[in-house]
């Protein structure tokens, strides 16, 4: 039996793209070394840098689907949740991965503990410009109109939105791009959980928080934030004994280093 038995893994925010082959290699290494034989793998959003529709059959999407399908066929349950970059990822792609698409939030039972899962962007309520933008992006009619556009046009629009988002973020205070504490408490109390796992903020860590009302006799709760994979591969491993959030070095650089510019003659 694999030494990954009795483990459940959580990852998010890989932001896979054609120009980050090192991150794909890192994912394949994690799947092989840590996920094979595990009970389940949860990918909590932003697996891809931008997803413009399941009909976009890129090499990177193929490689991910093939690897996840083989993990799932070997007996590890694979789950996908939408992020703010890949909320258009649909049932077709999930089926190609042998994965189940989860709603945000979802409550699971993990070795006897009730755990809430979310991408995390919906908790950043002080970022009012993003909240307005998010509402529009999640409108089914708006999404269908976008999916009806030619693939090339969708890629161009996604690139424009990414650019505008980067520009907007460079002017935002860092703290408004973090989760709102009161929203976290509200969500955890409404779902009656004392553990929340989310990504999105790229601020990996484990935070102890106090709920207003006790759950199972205790007001202590834990918020676990997964990390983005731009520098390291962050994996949260859960087992009956407890949990650990660890960063691992990528086996090769995330993106190939650009050749140095030739000196002027
Ligand atoms: O992603 P990140 O971490 O950089 O920033 C997010 C928020 N930004 C986003 C946008 C994504 O980066 C890009 C999504 C591409 C999806 C591809 C498919 C698109 C299809 C759409 C059709 C239905 O989520 C950012 C948050 C930040 O997290 C922290 O939480 O602040 O939010 C913004 O930047 C929103 C801006 O504040 C306001 C909106 C600017 C964009 C306007 C777009 C106009 C459309 C132009 C199209 C021609
Ligand atoms: Mn995100």
């Amino acid at each position: 039996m694999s030494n990954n038995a009795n483990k459940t893994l959580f990852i998010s925010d890989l932001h896979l793209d054609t120009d980050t082959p090192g991150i794909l290699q890192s994912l394949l290494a994690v799947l092989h070394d840590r996920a094979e034989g595990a009970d389940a793998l949860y990918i909590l959003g932003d697996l891809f840098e931008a997803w413009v529709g399941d009909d976009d059959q890129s090499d990177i999407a193929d490689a991910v689907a093939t690897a996840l399908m083989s993990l799932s066929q070997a007996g590890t349950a694979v789950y996908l949740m939408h992020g703010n970059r890949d909320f258009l990822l649909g049932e077709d792609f999930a089926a190609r991965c042998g994965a189940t698409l989860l709603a945000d939030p979802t409550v699971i039972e993990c070795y006897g503990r009730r755990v809430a899962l979310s991408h995390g962007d919906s908790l950043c309520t002080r970022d009012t410009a993003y909240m307005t933008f998010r509402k529009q992006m999640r409108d089914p009619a708006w999404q269908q109109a976008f999916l009806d556009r030619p693939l090339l046009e969708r890629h161009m629009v996604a690139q424009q939105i990414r650019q505008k988002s980067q520009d907007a973020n460079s002017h935002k205070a860092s703290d408004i791009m973090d989760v709102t504490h009161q929203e976290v408490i509200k969500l955890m109390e409404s779902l009656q959980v004392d553990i929340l796992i989310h990504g999105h903020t790229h601020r990996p860590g484990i935070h102890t928080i106090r709920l207003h009302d006790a759950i199972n006799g205790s007001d202590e709760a834990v918020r676990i934030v997964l990390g983005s994979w731009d520098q390291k591969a962050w994996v949260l491993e859960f087992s009956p004994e407890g949990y650990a959030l660890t960063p691992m070095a990528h086996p090769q650089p995330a993106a190939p280093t650009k050749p140095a510019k030739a000196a002027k003659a």
Side-chain angles (χ1 to χ4, degrees):
M1 189 193 277
S2 147
N3 60 2
N4 292 327
N6 268 332
K7 282 182 187 162
T8 292
L9 305 184
F10 300 86
I11 59 176
S12 71
D13 302 282
L14 284 77
H15 303 140
L16 287 169
D17 199 1
T18 45
D19 61 5
T20 55
I23 300 184
L24 175 63
Q25 290 314 313
S26 208
L27 171 64
L28 299 180
V30 165
L31 296 185
H32 180 265
D33 300 343
R34 314 263 308 263
E36 262 179 29
D39 291 330
L41 167 71
Y42 288 86
I43 304 177
L44 299 185
D46 288 359
L47 172 58
F48 295 100
E49 171 73 0
W51 190 261
V52 297
D54 289 5
D55 56 332
D56 183 16
Q57 312 251 346
S58 66
D59 289 350
I60 198 141
D62 266 352
V64 170
T66 304
L68 292 179
M69 177 57 93
S70 104
L71 182 69
S72 146
Q73 284 178 337
T76 299
V78 178
Y79 298 96
L80 294 171
M81 185 178 277
H82 288 146
N84 57 298
R85 309 281 192 87
D86 52 12
F87 56 86
L88 288 177
L89 201 147
E91 292 292 351
D92 284 357
F93 184 71
R96 281 174 63 201
C97 299
T100 304
L101 209 46
L102 297 177
D104 181 355
T106 283
V107 176
I108 60 165
E109 166 103 9
C110 201
Y111 309 115
R113 303 195 64 167
R114 265 172 74 78
V115 178
L117 310 176
S118 173
H119 178 58
D121 58 319
S122 59
L123 297 167
C124 301
T125 52
R126 286 168 301 159
D127 190 346
T128 49
Y130 174 61
M131 287 290 121
T132 306
F133 171 74
R134 185 180 193 277
K135 204 168 163 208
Q136 184 160 29
M137 292 295 116
R138 303 301 171 107
D139 175 356
W142 183 280
Q143 292 188 355
Q144 195 52 56
F146 178 79
L147 291 170
D148 289 342
R149 308 305 305 161
L151 191 54
L152 185 64
E153 192 180 319
R154 278 180 269 154
H155 275 294
M156 285 165 57
V157 171
Q159 214 177 345
Q160 284 171 23
I161 301 178
R162 283 288 305 125
Q163 188 58 53
K164 284 192 192 299
S165 170
Q166 277 163 344
D167 294 347
N169 290 3
S170 67
H171 299 293
K172 283 180 195 169
S174 162
D175 71 309
I176 72 153
M177 290 192 280
D178 201 354
V179 296
T180 306
H181 185 65
Q182 291 310 321
E183 283 303 315
V184 169
I185 292 180
K186 203 163 86 183
L187 179 72
M188 295 182 79
E189 289 186 345
S190 72
L191 299 175
Q192 287 290 292
V193 294
D194 60 6
I195 302 185
L196 166 68
I197 303 174
H198 72 82
H200 181 67
T201 60
H202 304 183
R203 300 169 202 230
I206 298 182
H207 307 273
T208 303
I209 50 182
R210 297 256 163 233
L211 301 173
H212 297 144
D213 299 313
I215 294 174
N216 296 329
S218 168
D219 65 354
E220 194 171 290
V222 180
R223 176 171 72 92
I224 306 176
V225 189
L226 305 172
S228 134
W229 282 38
D230 56 343
Q231 302 293 331
K232 298 263 169 77
W234 286 88
V235 178
L236 172 69
E237 209 169 86
F238 226 97
S239 74
E241 288 76 44
Y243 48 82
L245 176 65
T246 48
M248 285 172 303
H250 291 309
Q252 52 185 266
T257 41
K258 292 198 174 92
K261 276 188 186 160
K264 277 187 186 165

